[in-house]
Amino acid sequence: MENIRNFCIIAHIDHGKSTLADRLLEFTGTLTQREMQAQVLDNMDLEREKGITIKAHAIQMNYKLEGKEYTLNLIDTPGHVDFSYEVSRSIAACEGALLIVDASQGIEAQTISNLYLALEHDLEIIPVMNKIDLPHAMPEEVTDEIVDLIGCKPEEVIRASAKEGIGIEDILKAVVHRIKPPKGDLKAPLQAMIFDSVFNSFRGIEVYFRVFNGSIKKGDKVKFVSTGKTYEADEIGVLKINKLPKNEISAGNVGYLISGIKEAKEVKVGDTITHINTPGEAVKGFENVKPMVFAGIYPVDTTEFEELRASMEKLQLNDASLVWEPETSAALGFGFRCGFLGMLHMEIIQERLEREFDMTVITTVPSVQFIAVRTDGTTFEINAPSEMPDPNTVNHIEEPYIKAQIITKSEFIGGIIKLCMDKRGVIKNQSYLTTDRVEMSFEMPLAEIVFDFFDKLKTISKGYASLDYHLIGFRESDMVKLDIQLNGEKVDALSAIVHRSKAYEWGKKLCEKLRELLPRQMFEIAIQAAIGQKIVARETVKALRKNVLAKCYGGDISRKRKLLEKQKKGKKRMRQVGNVEIPQEAFMAVLKID
């Protein structure tokens, strides 16, 4: 155990974590030149296309230093705020962390938030300044920022360039010298924590774990503490680029277990593996995930409901931050109400369902969780607009508030404050990190951030601002349910819960958007936005009509009028019986409203 080091790489999005991981793998000879490709750990095609890390990836390297052979377990983590749950799980399995800061961009919001996560778990932090080869790098200023943030000495900050391979050896030496070897008792009962799992269609579920005490051997009978299920360890091993089977994995190490588990429900991330005959205690894992954004996911073809359920279960194995439960909708049939950590997370889940499981799905308007306080003082949660109770029975509604930390260049302060004010935010604090960089904190409703806040923030700040946020609790708010009606019939999938001050413009924009998107029918369609019984906006999709006067040339006007009246009656009857098909774009249109 003296020679094992477990560490993860944390940083803001795009500061070069995955590239650095590539260099470390190359330098330690874990990969041959032939296997090498850029961002080798990002093995999902979505990650390659978008150039972001979505999953935390574990890999083992061997490194020789001063005549000793060290085993390094590295976990590369995502940098986007929507995937911070992945980061918290990786941190729980490590003793140290490389904190990467881009030399040209300095410290950003997610850097700070990931750092706090690591400090809560008492990890040894090794600061690394990456991209020092860039022409606009500012090594001196960024070093000062890092020293201010962590309180280390300037010479402890390692200067590196993952692209050019500068400083890689220094990083590996620092990992060996500064990070403590794992503590653990080889003779104690087995205690291993599951930090990830993945579904393999041939071998069942593969479980990735970190052993804290004891050891696990091939063929052992093991038990998962929280589900109480027992299995036989058919194959255990360590994670190199490909899985490498071993006969035993002992305390301090990271490995995988395959035991032919078929049911996705039986594996919970954060659960503890122990032996049946000498059970150990459950490890204190990480806290449960708190979804921020809720949306309905429905199969386009209602007969595929069961297949969608199976796909969601398999996806949940690989992404433990996805929360879901079945629900029904009058417009869309059977589906699921899902909780996501943010809009990017929601988009990724939808993409993965379509790619990995071949499901075509419709996503409803995302919303956040509200709490309604009834007149008799009882409270209940509202996760979807359809659950909104009758206004007469409700005393008030509370909505979640967040504290947002925005770090930006000083020239963009005005635009950002205006954006946050528009989103009902209140500025709480503003401090200069350097002469040119400002950290601002706002308190604002989560519901306002859900849609396009992040995109607008990036637009205003030319991509420089970085955002990090966390929940601070619920506050009373004047929320109303806005219904959309087509020809007098409510479409529950398009309803939204909005603040009363914004209900009118929201309704108006939504009606205009739907008018463009709904295909014209043989009858006219009235699109109305209503709060309760009160209509606040209306648009009309005009009917397509056949020219019934084509055969009348000349002749009396009364003859033409008779034909037109007849057509009008037919249209009226069609409008009463006709139903309106809503295209998928219409459900997504709500997201695109400015």
Side-chain angles (χ1 to χ4, degrees), residues 32 36 176 297 342 367 410 427 493 568 577:
T32 59
M36 194 61 220
V176 171
I297 287 189
S367 70
S410 48
I427 185 160
K568 202 166 161 188
V577 296

PDB file of all heavy atoms in Angstrom, residues 32 36 176 297 342 367 410 427 493 568 577:
ATOM      1  N   THR A  32       0.675   2.674 -25.734  1.00  0.00           N
ATOM      2  CA  THR A  32       1.684   2.692 -26.789  1.00  0.00           C
ATOM      3  C   THR A  32       1.329   3.835 -27.735  1.00  0.00           C
ATOM      4  O   THR A  32       0.199   4.327 -27.730  1.00  0.00           O
ATOM      5  CB  THR A  32       1.668   1.373 -27.579  1.00  0.00           C
ATOM      6  OG1 THR A  32       0.348   1.235 -28.139  1.00  0.00           O
ATOM      7  CG2 THR A  32       1.960   0.199 -26.684  1.00  0.00           C
ATOM      8  N   MET A  36      -2.546   5.727 -28.920  1.00  0.00           N
ATOM      9  CA  MET A  36      -2.741   7.108 -28.486  1.00  0.00           C
ATOM     10  C   MET A  36      -3.677   7.855 -29.425  1.00  0.00           C
ATOM     11  O   MET A  36      -3.592   7.748 -30.625  1.00  0.00           O
ATOM     12  CB  MET A  36      -1.370   7.799 -28.490  1.00  0.00           C
ATOM     13  CG  MET A  36      -1.361   9.110 -27.749  1.00  0.00           C
ATOM     14  SD  MET A  36      -1.771   8.870 -26.031  1.00  0.00           S
ATOM     15  CE  MET A  36      -2.790  10.282 -25.762  1.00  0.00           C
ATOM     16  N   VAL A 176       3.697  11.554  -6.238  1.00  0.00           N
ATOM     17  CA  VAL A 176       4.314  10.537  -5.384  1.00  0.00           C
ATOM     18  C   VAL A 176       4.738  11.125  -4.040  1.00  0.00           C
ATOM     19  O   VAL A 176       4.507  10.552  -2.984  1.00  0.00           O
ATOM     20  CB  VAL A 176       5.531   9.900  -6.109  1.00  0.00           C
ATOM     21  CG1 VAL A 176       6.306   9.013  -5.145  1.00  0.00           C
ATOM     22  CG2 VAL A 176       5.048   9.081  -7.304  1.00  0.00           C
ATOM     23  N   ILE A 297     -39.977  13.129 -20.026  1.00  0.00           N
ATOM     24  CA  ILE A 297     -39.462  12.491 -21.244  1.00  0.00           C
ATOM     25  C   ILE A 297     -40.477  11.435 -21.654  1.00  0.00           C
ATOM     26  O   ILE A 297     -40.839  10.570 -20.846  1.00  0.00           O
ATOM     27  CB  ILE A 297     -38.080  11.852 -20.982  1.00  0.00           C
ATOM     28  CG1 ILE A 297     -37.029  12.962 -20.860  1.00  0.00           C
ATOM     29  CG2 ILE A 297     -37.690  10.903 -22.098  1.00  0.00           C
ATOM     30  CD1 ILE A 297     -35.606  12.469 -20.809  1.00  0.00           C
ATOM     31  N   GLY A 342     -29.011  20.123 -14.662  1.00  0.00           N
ATOM     32  CA  GLY A 342     -28.981  21.387 -15.402  1.00  0.00           C
ATOM     33  C   GLY A 342     -29.381  21.127 -16.843  1.00  0.00           C
ATOM     34  O   GLY A 342     -29.656  20.007 -17.237  1.00  0.00           O
ATOM     35  N   SER A 367     -38.887  22.497 -15.816  1.00  0.00           N
ATOM     36  CA  SER A 367     -39.320  23.393 -14.741  1.00  0.00           C
ATOM     37  C   SER A 367     -38.513  23.035 -13.510  1.00  0.00           C
ATOM     38  O   SER A 367     -37.786  22.057 -13.508  1.00  0.00           O
ATOM     39  CB  SER A 367     -40.814  23.197 -14.464  1.00  0.00           C
ATOM     40  OG  SER A 367     -41.010  21.937 -13.854  1.00  0.00           O
ATOM     41  N   SER A 410     -13.672  42.925 -15.864  1.00  0.00           N
ATOM     42  CA  SER A 410     -14.394  44.063 -15.305  1.00  0.00           C
ATOM     43  C   SER A 410     -15.202  44.832 -16.350  1.00  0.00           C
ATOM     44  O   SER A 410     -16.183  45.477 -16.025  1.00  0.00           O
ATOM     45  CB  SER A 410     -13.429  45.000 -14.592  1.00  0.00           C
ATOM     46  OG  SER A 410     -12.317  45.246 -15.414  1.00  0.00           O
ATOM     47  N   ILE A 427     -28.050  41.634  -6.352  1.00  0.00           N
ATOM     48  CA  ILE A 427     -26.598  41.515  -6.196  1.00  0.00           C
ATOM     49  C   ILE A 427     -26.246  41.606  -4.713  1.00  0.00           C
ATOM     50  O   ILE A 427     -26.775  42.426  -3.987  1.00  0.00           O
ATOM     51  CB  ILE A 427     -25.844  42.582  -7.031  1.00  0.00           C
ATOM     52  CG1 ILE A 427     -24.345  42.347  -6.950  1.00  0.00           C
ATOM     53  CG2 ILE A 427     -26.204  43.989  -6.598  1.00  0.00           C
ATOM     54  CD1 ILE A 427     -23.561  42.988  -8.065  1.00  0.00           C
ATOM     55  N   ALA A 493     -48.798  19.526 -21.767  1.00  0.00           N
ATOM     56  CA  ALA A 493     -47.345  19.423 -21.928  1.00  0.00           C
ATOM     57  C   ALA A 493     -46.709  20.790 -22.199  1.00  0.00           C
ATOM     58  O   ALA A 493     -45.501  20.939 -22.100  1.00  0.00           O
ATOM     59  CB  ALA A 493     -47.014  18.465 -23.051  1.00  0.00           C
ATOM     60  N   LYS A 568     -68.069  28.120 -44.987  1.00  0.00           N
ATOM     61  CA  LYS A 568     -67.845  28.626 -43.637  1.00  0.00           C
ATOM     62  C   LYS A 568     -68.428  27.677 -42.596  1.00  0.00           C
ATOM     63  O   LYS A 568     -67.809  27.383 -41.562  1.00  0.00           O
ATOM     64  CB  LYS A 568     -68.515  29.999 -43.528  1.00  0.00           C
ATOM     65  CG  LYS A 568     -67.982  30.883 -42.428  1.00  0.00           C
ATOM     66  CD  LYS A 568     -68.494  32.285 -42.682  1.00  0.00           C
ATOM     67  CE  LYS A 568     -68.437  33.153 -41.446  1.00  0.00           C
ATOM     68  NZ  LYS A 568     -69.109  34.431 -41.703  1.00  0.00           N
ATOM     69  N   VAL A 577     -64.601  19.353 -34.331  1.00  0.00           N
ATOM     70  CA  VAL A 577     -64.219  17.947 -34.201  1.00  0.00           C
ATOM     71  C   VAL A 577     -62.732  17.722 -34.499  1.00  0.00           C
ATOM     72  O   VAL A 577     -62.163  16.731 -34.073  1.00  0.00           O
ATOM     73  CB  VAL A 577     -65.063  17.027 -35.128  1.00  0.00           C
ATOM     74  CG1 VAL A 577     -66.512  17.078 -34.723  1.00  0.00           C
ATOM     75  CG2 VAL A 577     -64.883  17.414 -36.582  1.00  0.00           C
TER      76      VAL A 577
END
